[in-house]
Amino acid sequence: MTTHREPVDSVLETVGETPLVRVAAAPDEVPVYAKAESFNPGASVKDRIGKYMLERMIERGDVSPGGTVIEPTAGNTGIGFAVAAGQLGVDAVFVVPERFSVEKQQLMDALGADVINTPTEHGMDGAIERAHELADELDDAVVPQQFANPLNVEAHYETTAPEIYEALDGEVGAVVAGCGTAGTLMGLAEYAREQHPDTYVAAVEPEGSLYGTVLGEDGTEEEYKIEGIGTHDPTTNELFDPDLVDAVVDVADRAAQDELKRLAREEGQLVASSAGAASVAARRVARDIRDGEIDAPYDTVATIFPDSSERYLSKGIYRSFEEWEG
Ligand code: PMP
């Protein structure tokens, strides 16, 4: 943990302790605060799990320095693990479906990791299968499996959540976060419910994603452009616990892009589409608390801005909706 005031020996010591920044457009009566995760060394929230999970897995003997970590990942997780693996002396291999942004794959490569692409049409399942095949071929290899590994949730329970609570003196009425693996939201939710059992918890997903169906909502599967959150098949996720979630907020691609553009123009925040979606949802929850439609123990909402828009410039994130490739 760093105060950012003292010299540190390794970039790993700069993971976490990110700023918590007020979203100016939220209602005055119920402020929204967003954790700006692009301040991490690999510039996303996933640096937290890269460091936390790999350190725990080495301690437990799941992998040793000199061994290999292999993860199917849409990108940010690969960068997070690559930063940690490089410093902890572990080789890193990532299996990435082709559709994900080239910036992320170049960064994994720059950090010394090997990147293997699988066909877009095989989805994450194809990437997961390939990762396990590769691990079976090696002696000392581990597949962290961020979609199923409780250490993913624990990383956020141990770091992201207490940082937020400390910054807000424990007065958090609602936590709102996008769900990809759901590690971030589940870590926040577990911690939040221990602090106050009535803390309102909202998951955020793109329209067309199916997390809402786990809570019994209707949902139609569709493609979406928002990157990093959502699922086409909730049964592949072992972390999302509906008992810890009050609502799943669906955000349209267009609303998320409008919001990420507004955040840049009006608030100086260079954040990507999952942050745009989180901001839309968090502001909605804040309005509902203000209007008495949601009961929350405090008039404050915390959310997460997972990464930076710079990582998606090649996909036209700031261009027109039609030109944004997603
Ligand atoms: N946003 C982005 C850009 C991401 O890469 C991820 C990770 N898939 C998330 C949000 C969601 O985080 P989590 O996997 O913890 O649900």
Side-chain angles (χ1 to χ4, degrees):
M1 219 188 282
T2 175
T3 58
H4 301 287
R5 305 286 291 260
E6 307 289 336
V8 291
D9 289 332
S10 157
V11 79
L12 285 188
E13 292 178 49
T14 71
V15 175
E17 293 294 338
T18 52
L20 189 66
V21 184
R22 187 161 176 170
V23 177
D28 289 342
E29 303 86 337
V30 185
V32 170
Y33 290 94
K35 200 85 169 124
E37 291 296 305
S38 64
F39 281 76
N40 283 302
S44 93
V45 67
K46 289 296 183 178
D47 292 358
R48 292 177 184 272
I49 71 163
K51 175 177 187 242
Y52 188 89
M53 293 179 74
L54 202 53
E55 285 178 345
R56 295 296 89 70
M57 288 186 298
I58 291 172
E59 273 168 23
R60 293 196 318 206
D62 296 345
V63 67
S64 332
T68 311
V69 60
I70 306 177
E71 182 72 348
T73 162
N76 281 334
T77 299
I79 295 163
F81 271 109
V83 169
Q87 299 312 303
L88 297 170
V90 173
D91 289 335
V93 178
F94 301 108
V95 189
V96 187
E98 274 154 356
R99 100 171 170 93
F100 292 99
S101 82
V102 290
E103 282 92 337
K104 290 179 188 168
Q105 300 187 40
Q106 283 176 18
L107 293 172
M108 287 187 255
D109 185 54
L111 288 162
D114 289 325
V115 178
I116 295 171
N117 280 123
T118 49
T120 302
E121 58 274 21
H122 293 181
M124 277 316 287
D125 285 350
I128 292 167
E129 210 173 296
R130 187 86 189 93
H132 286 287
E133 282 167 17
L134 288 167
D136 289 344
E137 289 164 18
L138 293 169
D139 278 344
D140 182 10
V142 70
V143 183
Q145 300 192 79
Q146 57 166 342
F147 286 88
N149 193 329
L151 287 175
N152 176 358
V153 176
E154 207 176 290
H156 296 288
Y157 176 90
E158 293 288 347
T159 73
T160 324
E163 288 172 28
I164 292 172
Y165 274 75
E166 198 179 319
L168 295 173
D169 294 327
E171 301 200 344
V172 179
V175 293
V176 178
C179 287
T181 64
T184 309
L185 184 71
M186 291 302 124
L188 295 182
E190 272 182 29
Y191 190 93
R193 291 279 171 83
E194 280 174 17
Q195 305 305 306
H196 200 301
D198 297 331
T199 313
Y200 188 82
V201 176
V204 186
E205 67 174 355
E207 268 182 28
S209 158
L210 297 178
Y211 273 122
T213 61
V214 182
L215 264 69
E217 294 167 8
D218 291 338
T220 316
E221 189 185 347
E222 275 173 64
E223 289 306 313
Y224 42 82
K225 300 196 201 193
I226 298 168
E227 193 165 323
I229 58 173
T231 181
H232 291 297
D233 182 3
T235 63
T236 58
N237 185 300
E238 293 176 32
L239 302 181
F240 187 89
D241 177 358
D243 290 343
L244 286 174
V245 180
D246 291 298
V248 177
V249 181
D250 281 23
V251 178
D253 284 338
R254 198 180 280 273
Q257 195 200 19
D258 285 349
E259 179 69 353
L260 72 88
K261 287 180 175 176
R262 190 200 64 75
L263 281 164
R265 202 174 53 241
E266 294 180 8
E267 305 199 21
Q269 290 261 28
L270 295 174
V271 293
S273 54
S274 66
S279 184
V280 169
R283 290 174 57 194
R284 193 178 302 166
V285 167
R287 285 196 301 272
D288 286 349
I289 293 174
R290 178 196 62 192
D291 298 342
E293 282 163 37
I294 288 175
D295 279 334
Y298 300 100
D299 287 343
T300 305
V301 177
T303 191
I304 306 288
F305 286 174
D307 70 350
S308 155
S309 55
E310 270 189 70
R311 200 151 274 180
Y312 309 88
L313 294 176
S314 68
K315 295 188 139 198
I317 193 167
Y318 288 124
R319 298 206 195 106
S320 69
F321 181 69
E322 292 69 27
E323 284 171 297
W324 173 34
E325 284 169 40

